[in-house]
Each structure stands twice: as structure tokens, then as C-alpha cells.
Amino acid sequence: MSDRTNQKKPKSGIGKILLIILSVVVVLTAVVYITGVIYFRNHFFYRTNVGSTDVSFKNVDDTISTLNDAVNVYKIKITAPDTTYEVKGKDISLKLDSSTKQVIEDDIASQNVFIWPITLFQPQNKDIRVDYSESELKEKLSDLLTLDKDPVNATIAIDGNNYKVVKEKYGADTAAVEKEIDEAINKQEYSLTLNTANFTEPQITTTSDEITNATKTIDSYLKGIVSYTIGSSKEVTEKGSILNLLDISDTYEVTLNDDKLLAYVDELAAKFNTYGKVRKFTTQAGDEIEIGGGDYGYILDKDAEFAQLKQDLVGGKTVERQPVWSQTANGTLDNDIGDRYVELDYTNQVMYYILNGQQVFSTDIVSGNNTVGQGSPDGIFRIKYRVKDTHLKGKNLDGTDYDSPVNYFIVFAYDVGFHDAPWQPWFGGNRYLYAGSHGCINLSNSAAQYTYENIPDDLPVVAYYRTPTTLVGTANRNSNAFSYRG
């Protein structure tokens, strides 16, 4: 008996220990449970989120503070089909709704505190209440929220001296897109991929073959730079000028527009042509006059230049050449007269020959008698041709015929020219006012010989009066004299 009793006593001690431990566990569990019940009457459960912010174990004030901190640093990444946007809370005046505190208090009060242990394994999600400026959001996302319902294909825009590819735009149900964004902001989500069902994709994008091929064609045209050489001056076609000649069709075909090219050639003619223009001219006396008229100067052959320019641009190469002229001059655009010319000062009755900027010859003359309507033509002309040992024929004022043999005749304006005049006893002074010619420039025989032998064809002849003059007659009309008034 005593042995059995001794064997049972240890078992009785272990049972008591287990009982004590169990009791302690029960008591502690009860204490923890009751403590949790009391605690969670004023605090959120573990694993509770308001929006995307963890507010576990926080009371009302701490929750408000935490949410304010989250709102202050909040930003959301919005991914659309073709691009990504970022909106920060401060960009849209984001703040907690004025009812947030009351909502938090209600949320905490509505918790079933008696099941708090279960919530350790069940996340709790609460909605956040925020306010933001819708107008600021629309401004921040203007590219997105102003999309049209229908998509817009990529295009090529020409602006001044450049062109650019204008990015395509998706079509969008902007009301649905804005609703998605609003919901994400109100949930304080940090990223949002927009529903592609709310977008319509354009057919032509910046990477489409149509755009790529069109830009290659434009770039090819832009390589067709034409540098015009005119005397010592140069004029280069500008990039913008070439771009403005191009048409881009709805199917992205790039072509030269003939009408625009014709208009451009007209502009070149207005820039290059010096024929008939009034020029400033420094005389041998040193003063400056203005003289226009005559038939001298550059004239662009517009039809031929159109054809050549089109060929140059289509060829896509840099070309340096002369404009295609129907008539040329000896100088530059700024000074088409150059430094080799004949100067006729009708008022002072003097002729000068200027070679390489230096006066190499001068002589007195007798020009046309303007007192009887036979004044010599003024303007800028060119020496056209010369003959030797000929007869000058015409009619005198009284209707009688004249036939004057001359040794030298050098024509510069219609049928007006330089020639020897053996019937003139002297030259210069005011003789032209009472014994002037029918319009030609009378010279001594030696001066006429010098002119015939030394002054070449095509040389400019600058003829002018120093006082206002009215010229009449067929020769002045046909030679486009500066002072011709009909």
C-alpha cells in the first residue's frame, strides 16, 4: 500500500501545477480581452486603414493628425494609355473634409469591441473624406481631361522656319476618366491605371510609317537649298520659305505646291529685279542724285526660274547658281550699275567714262533740245550696238527730211545714241537749249571715235537732269525715260 501511495503523489502535484497555469492563462486572457475591449472603445482596431493610411491603435486625435500628415505629402501617379501624370495634393489644394473628425469618431464608436481579437486577422478598411479643387485638378490634367471623344491622329505642323510632328491624341470619355480619378483621390490611392475601355486609340501615331515617311520627304526638300550668286552678293533660300511651299495631304503625302512656288518666284522677282527701279547714284561732281527709268537692270525669267527651282528642290541638294535671268546687269543687287559705266550729265553737258571706279575719259556734249520737245532720254540704259559710216535720217520740226552722214554711231536708248556731229561748231555750255540735237548725244569726231573704240556694248549708261524735266516724244516713251510724261 505504501508503495502505491508514493507513486500517486507526483501525479497529484503536476495536476495542480497545470491547473494553476491554466487559471493564470485564463485570468491573463480575460485581463487582456477586457483591456482590449476598453482600449478599442477609443482606438481603431489593429490593421485598420483609413483610405491608404494605417491608423492601427490610434485614437481620434492621433488619427486626424496622421491623416493630415498623409494628405500633406500625398501624390498619385496616374497612368493613361499613352502617358503618365503625377498629381500632388498641394497641386489641387487637397485637405481633409470638415466632417472627417465626426466620421472618425463614428467609425471608432461603431466598432464591435467584443470581437476585437478576431480583427487581428481581419483588416479593416475605412473611407477617407477629403476635399480638393476640381478646377485645379482639371488645370493640372488639362491634356487628359480636355480630350475630345474622338481620337486625333498625329499631324505635321509647319511653323515659320521649322516643322514639328504634333503628337496624336486619344479619344476619351472624360466624365468616366474624371470619376476614376476622383474615386482614387478620395481613397488616397497612390497609383491609378486608367481603364482603357474609356479611351479610343488613334489610327496614326508619331511612330506610324505615314509620319516617318512624310518627315523624311520634308527633310529631303530642306536639303534642296539654293544659294543665288548675283555679282559679289549672295541670296540663300530660307528654310521657312521652302517649308511654306509644301503641301501635306490628308494621307500624309508631301508635295511641292506649284501655285505657292509660282508666288515664291514672284517674290524673288520683286527682290532681284532692278529694272526700272529708282537708284541713288553718286555723280562725278560728288553729289548724290536719284535716277530710275531706262531699260537697264536685272530681270528674272520667272518661267525658267520656276522650272529650275522646282528641279533643285526636288533634287534635295545644295545648289549654288545664278538666278535664271532674262536680262542681267553688271553689278550686285545693291549696286547693279557696278564700277564700269558711262555718265551723262545733261544739265552740265558732260559725258564721263568710268572704268573700275576711276574716271578715264570725259568730254563736252550737245544733247537733245528740250525747249522744242526733243530732250534726250534720262534713266539707266545699256549700250546696245554700234555702227560705222552710216546715215542718220528723220524729220525736222518743220517736216522736212534730214539725212546726216556720221562716222560713228553707238546706240544706248531705243534709237538714241552717241555720234559725231561735224555741224556743231562747239560742244558744252547751254548750246543744247537752242541748237540741240533731235535727241542723240552729239560729240566731236575724236570723242565719238574714242567711244566707238573703247566703250564696249552692254555697258551701263547713267543719264540724268539736275532739275525737274518733262520729256515727250516717241524715243523717250519707248526707252522708258525717267522724266517721260507723255
Side-chain angles (χ1 to χ4, degrees):
M1 287 293 292
S2 61
D3 291 338
R4 293 176 180 172
T5 302
N6 290 336
Q7 292 174 359
K8 289 179 180 178
K9 283 182 179 180
K11 291 181 179 179
S12 177
I14 292 172
K16 287 180 180 180
I17 292 172
L18 292 174
L19 181 61
I20 291 170
I21 292 173
L22 180 61
S23 299
V24 171
V25 170
V26 170
V27 170
L28 289 175
T29 300
V31 170
V32 171
Y33 174 76
I34 293 170
T35 300
V37 169
I38 296 171
Y39 182 81
F40 286 118
R41 288 182 183 276
N42 299 304
H43 297 78
F44 276 119
F45 290 144
Y46 173 61
R47 299 182 71 186
T48 298
N49 287 313
V50 175
S52 298
T53 304
D54 184 2
V55 294
S56 301
F57 307 122
K58 297 188 184 295
N59 61 21
V60 173
D61 291 339
D62 288 342
T63 298
I64 295 296
S65 177
T66 300
L67 292 177
N68 273 322
D69 290 342
V71 165
N72 289 337
V73 297
Y74 174 76
K75 61 182 178 181
I76 182 172
K77 179 182 177 182
I78 302 170
T79 302
D82 61 337
T83 189
T84 299
Y85 304 88
E86 183 180 86
V87 178
K88 296 179 180 179
K90 62 182 181 181
D91 296 333
I92 56 174
S93 303
L94 183 68
K95 62 183 179 180
L96 293 176
D97 186 84
S98 59
S99 65
T100 299
K101 184 174 183 179
Q102 183 61 53
V103 172
I104 296 300
E105 290 174 349
D106 292 344
D107 284 343
I108 293 177
S110 66
Q111 294 180 139
N112 186 351
V113 296
F114 298 106
I115 64 168
W116 71 265
I118 299 175
T119 65
L120 296 175
F121 308 99
Q122 296 178 348
Q124 307 292 308
N125 294 300
K126 306 292 183 181
D127 291 334
I128 190 172
R129 299 292 184 89
V130 294
D131 278 335
Y132 63 87
S133 169
E134 291 185 5
S135 61
E136 289 177 351
L137 178 67
K138 289 181 178 179
E139 182 178 353
K140 183 69 178 177
L141 300 176
S142 59
D143 290 346
L144 175 62
L145 298 180
T146 57
L147 290 174
D148 293 328
K149 182 178 180 181
D150 296 323
V152 178
N153 288 330
T155 57
I156 299 174
I158 294 174
D159 181 17
N161 289 330
N162 293 293
Y163 78 91
K164 63 180 179 179
V165 177
V166 181
K167 184 177 174 61
E168 70 279 359
K169 291 184 179 181
Y170 275 71
D173 182 346
T174 53
V177 171
E178 191 170 353
K179 183 178 179 182
E180 280 190 87
I181 296 171
D182 178 74
E183 290 175 351
I185 292 174
N186 274 292
K187 291 178 181 179
Q188 291 288 274
E189 294 177 352
Y190 293 99
S191 65
L192 169 65
T193 300
L194 295 170
N195 188 350
T196 56
N198 293 324
F199 292 87
T200 305
E201 187 176 359
Q203 293 180 335
I204 306 296
T205 69
T206 55
T207 58
S208 295
D209 289 342
E210 292 87 345
I211 295 293
T212 301
N213 293 335
T215 56
K216 286 181 179 178
T217 303
I218 293 173
D219 290 338
S220 175
Y221 277 117
L222 292 180
K223 292 177 182 177
I225 301 299
V226 179
S227 177
Y228 293 104
T229 302
I230 306 166
S232 61
S233 61
K234 286 188 177 181
E235 293 285 336
V236 180
T237 54
E238 296 179 354
K239 184 177 179 182
S241 298
I242 297 174
L243 286 172
N244 288 327
L245 302 177
L246 303 179
D247 276 348
I248 304 173
S249 71
D250 293 339
T251 57
Y252 300 92
E253 182 182 2
V254 180
T255 56
L256 271 175
N257 183 305
D258 282 355
D259 290 338
K260 292 179 181 178
L261 186 58
L262 283 170
Y264 180 67
V265 171
D266 283 341
E267 292 177 10
L268 291 180
K271 180 186 291 187
F272 293 165
N273 288 354
T274 60
Y275 174 90
K277 284 188 175 181
V278 175
R279 305 156 175 86
K280 290 183 178 180
F281 176 77
T282 301
T283 73
Q284 289 303 296
D287 58 330
E288 186 177 78
I289 64 167
E290 289 190 347
I291 184 67
D295 58 5
Y296 179 83
Y298 287 107
I299 303 176
L300 188 70
D301 186 332
K302 294 195 288 186
D303 290 340
E305 178 60 35
F306 169 86
Q308 184 61 54
L309 182 56
K310 186 172 184 177
Q311 179 179 323
D312 293 339
L313 294 176
V314 171
K317 294 181 180 180
T318 299
V319 177
E320 184 170 335
R321 63 175 175 84
Q322 281 267 335
V324 184
W325 302 116
S326 62
Q327 176 175 298
T328 62
N330 292 351
T332 65
L333 291 182
D334 293 332
N335 176 22
D336 64 343
I337 296 170
D339 60 0
R340 297 174 64 244
Y341 56 89
V342 172
E343 179 178 336
L344 286 174
D345 183 342
Y346 290 140
T347 303
N348 291 317
Q349 291 289 284
V350 182
M351 167 188 168
Y352 303 98
Y353 176 34
I354 311 303
L355 181 62
N356 299 323
Q358 301 297 316
Q359 182 188 129
V360 296
F361 175 77
S362 68
T363 186
D364 292 334
I365 65 171
V366 174
S367 63
N369 186 352
N370 200 33
T371 59
V372 293
Q374 292 183 329
S376 298
D378 58 350
I380 305 175
F381 309 93
R382 67 173 65 243
I383 294 179
K384 294 176 175 58
Y385 65 91
R386 66 198 60 217
V387 293
K388 195 175 181 181
D389 299 327
T390 188
H391 285 251
L392 305 181
K393 299 178 181 181
K395 288 187 178 296
N396 295 305
L397 290 175
D398 60 6
T400 59
D401 294 329
Y402 69 83
D403 184 343
S404 303
V406 295
N407 297 321
Y408 310 99
F409 185 41
I410 304 98
V411 177
F412 68 89
Y414 185 52
D415 59 356
V416 173
F418 305 94
H419 62 78
D420 49 296
W423 54 88
Q424 295 284 9
W426 53 277
F427 300 87
N430 64 353
R431 182 169 176 75
Y432 76 107
L433 295 176
Y434 58 87
S437 71
H438 296 92
C440 284
I441 312 304
N442 289 179
L443 303 174
S444 67
N445 189 72
S446 60
Q449 180 179 0
Y450 179 90
T451 301
Y452 183 90
E453 294 176 349
N454 295 280
I455 300 178
D457 288 349
D458 290 327
L459 200 74
V461 176
V462 183
Y464 57 88
Y465 293 91
R466 292 182 172 277
T467 57
T469 302
T470 297
L471 298 176
V472 296
T474 301
N476 285 306
R477 181 186 69 236
N478 291 346
S479 64
N480 190 36
F482 184 54
S483 298
Y484 174 74
R485 299 293 182 269

